[in-house]
Amino acid sequence: MPLALPIFFLFSIYGVVSVYLPIILTSMGYTATQVGLLLGIFEGAGVVLPLAMSLRREQGRGYGLPLLLMGALMVVVPFPLVHLGGFCFTALFLVCYSLGYKAAVPLSDSLINKVLGERRDDYGKVRVAGSVGYVVMALLLQRFLPAGAAHQYMVWMLTAAVLFMLSLFFVPGLFSKDLSPSSHRIPVAAELGRSQVADREAVGSVMASFPPVFWMGLLLVFLGFFGLSPATKLFALYMTEFLHSDATGALSALSALSEIPFMFFSSRFLRRYGSLQLLVFCTAMVTVRLVLYMALPNMAGAVLGQLMNSITYGLYHPAAVVFVAQCAPKGRLVLSQSLYSIFAVGLASLLGNSLSGWMIDSFGYPALFMTFALFPLAGVILYFFVRKRI
């Protein structure tokens, strides 16, 4: 599928930013608490634009131009980000960068779902190109830049963003107003037509159109991704400060490699167990992953924890994307993906990063992992209490 090419380059950008942004900020002189706050601001900015855009996307406007503009932001912003000092300036440029970096993912996810039509279970087979891109970038950085300065990482960010923009032009019809599925799949024109009045509806009535099970699933994923914050967004600091290792790129590549088979074959798990049951299972596995970091505070624990990414992202993310698509009311496909990206991922990361940085400075990494392991566990317990009522 031609979409695999921009997905590959989009997540190669993630291979730089997601892994090394804490190190970039630390090299600029910020403490762990300040890094956590800046990462929280970065994630929070990514909460706003996808929600504002989602109703517009439901109206059938093209996907190509917004994705191109997001890529342009990711090209323009890195230079002032790493060269202009000061907490306020850094926060401002992180907000600008996040508007492109974060908003591109839910938009590309909804695009994949539209093109696949009723074959949405195959989402993982397309999205796996992103995991491959992430792995390639992580391995390249581990080989050529295991412990670099901020301006060196900036070059890799710019290169990946330019390639992402160029790859968009290789997707047939991406810049047309309506990108429909192939003839053997469900057309989306009717769905788009039903959503013409979406931007005139009250927010409350729009949200009320989603069933209770949707919100329960969203809460599960929120608590899961909140719990994952120390193991993902701040893993680079754990490796450098606690384990005193420069193998961040190698272990990040290992983490992404482990998710590829689970993501590619996620459709089999989804058809056998259903998306909601997989969400419950994967949320519970987040607790297991964090306990591993806490119980084995060494390289062996780090390796085992990273391998758990096979379930806590490789299976978790496709299950969540399919779940929100299945539970979305008519004409709310893009909005459902945006709600997942905004609240279950973005808001969880915002709060998790902000709290994690403070906890690292105040209590250390073992207490951090122990505390965050309790949240996904609480979500699983809550689900078993309310499942018969949803």
Side-chain angles (χ1 to χ4, degrees):
M1 177 178 287
L3 276 175
L5 189 61
I7 296 296
F8 174 91
F9 287 118
L10 175 60
F11 283 91
S12 69
I13 303 171
Y14 271 65
V16 186
V17 179
S18 178
V19 178
Y20 290 99
L21 184 56
I23 294 178
I24 292 171
L25 295 173
T26 301
S27 73
M28 294 169 66
Y30 295 111
T31 66
T33 299
Q34 290 174 319
V35 169
L37 288 173
L38 287 169
L39 290 176
I41 292 169
F42 178 64
E43 299 289 345
V47 165
V48 178
L49 187 60
L51 183 60
M53 289 183 56
S54 60
L55 293 178
R56 309 304 296 175
R57 293 304 99 214
E58 295 289 7
Q59 294 181 7
R61 292 167 173 80
Y63 285 80
L65 183 58
L67 288 171
L68 193 64
L69 293 174
M70 291 169 193
L73 270 176
M74 291 186 279
V75 170
V76 171
V77 174
F79 185 84
L81 171 65
V82 302
H83 285 91
L84 294 180
F87 187 91
C88 292
F89 274 117
T90 302
L92 174 63
F93 288 119
L94 283 175
V95 167
C96 295
Y97 191 81
S98 182
L99 295 181
Y101 176 83
K102 288 291 180 181
V105 174
L107 193 58
S108 62
D109 280 343
S110 62
L111 175 60
I112 294 170
N113 273 286
K114 283 188 181 295
V115 172
L116 288 175
E118 66 179 350
R119 296 174 55 194
R120 287 171 184 159
D121 287 352
D122 289 332
Y123 164 85
K125 293 180 180 179
V126 181
R127 173 56 181 78
V128 76
S131 297
V132 175
Y134 185 101
V135 169
V136 170
M137 181 60 75
L139 289 175
L140 286 172
L141 289 174
Q142 181 64 46
R143 172 64 179 85
F144 297 107
L145 202 62
H151 70 276
Q152 293 173 305
Y153 291 113
M154 178 198 70
V155 173
W156 292 84
M157 293 164 64
L158 291 174
T159 302
V162 170
L163 291 172
F164 167 69
M165 293 178 66
L166 293 175
S167 70
L168 295 173
F169 294 98
F170 291 89
V171 181
L174 184 61
F175 290 89
S176 64
K177 288 189 175 181
D178 293 307
L179 183 67
S180 301
S182 302
S183 58
H184 64 280
R185 296 167 182 158
I186 292 180
V188 298
E191 179 182 330
L192 294 171
R194 286 192 292 269
S195 62
Q196 291 294 318
V197 298
D199 57 345
R200 297 192 293 271
E201 296 177 359
V203 173
S205 63
V206 172
M207 299 305 175
S209 66
F210 288 87
V213 67
F214 174 86
W215 299 110
M216 183 67 239
L218 216 58
L219 177 62
L220 278 171
V221 183
F222 169 84
L223 293 171
F225 277 85
F226 179 84
L228 281 172
S229 298
T232 53
K233 306 301 182 182
L234 292 168
F235 181 72
L237 291 186
Y238 174 70
M239 288 291 294
T240 56
E241 294 184 354
F242 190 79
L243 297 185
H244 307 291
S245 170
D246 62 358
T248 300
L251 263 66
S252 297
L254 175 66
S255 172
L257 277 170
S258 72
E259 79 188 28
I260 289 175
F262 279 83
M263 187 170 288
F264 187 82
F265 293 109
S266 60
S267 58
R268 298 188 181 186
F269 292 99
L270 285 162
R271 289 163 188 155
R272 180 167 182 176
Y273 299 106
S275 57
L276 181 57
Q277 296 304 313
L278 286 182
L279 286 188
V280 176
F281 171 72
C282 293
T283 303
M285 289 300 102
V286 173
T287 295
V288 174
R289 180 177 180 178
L290 294 172
V291 168
L292 282 172
Y293 291 119
M294 181 181 64
L296 299 171
N298 50 40
M299 189 61 72
V303 169
L304 290 174
Q306 292 301 89
L307 288 173
M308 285 292 295
N309 196 59
S310 57
I311 297 173
T312 60
Y313 191 79
L315 191 57
Y316 206 0
H317 177 63
V321 169
V322 171
F323 171 80
V324 298
Q326 290 173 337
C327 293
K330 298 291 187 181
R332 302 296 179 200
L333 177 59
V334 181
L335 180 58
S336 70
Q337 298 297 334
S338 294
L339 288 173
Y340 161 59
S341 185
I342 291 165
F343 296 111
V345 180
L347 184 60
S349 295
L350 186 160
L351 298 175
N353 291 333
S354 301
L355 181 59
S356 293
W358 171 76
M359 287 198 68
I360 290 170
D361 279 340
S362 301
F363 304 104
Y365 287 94
L368 173 71
F369 291 128
M370 179 181 67
T371 302
F372 275 70
L374 298 176
F375 289 94
L377 179 62
V380 173
I381 293 172
L382 175 64
Y383 167 76
F384 283 104
F385 273 105
V386 303
R387 60 177 177 171
K388 293 183 179 178
R389 285 177 278 180
I390 57 174

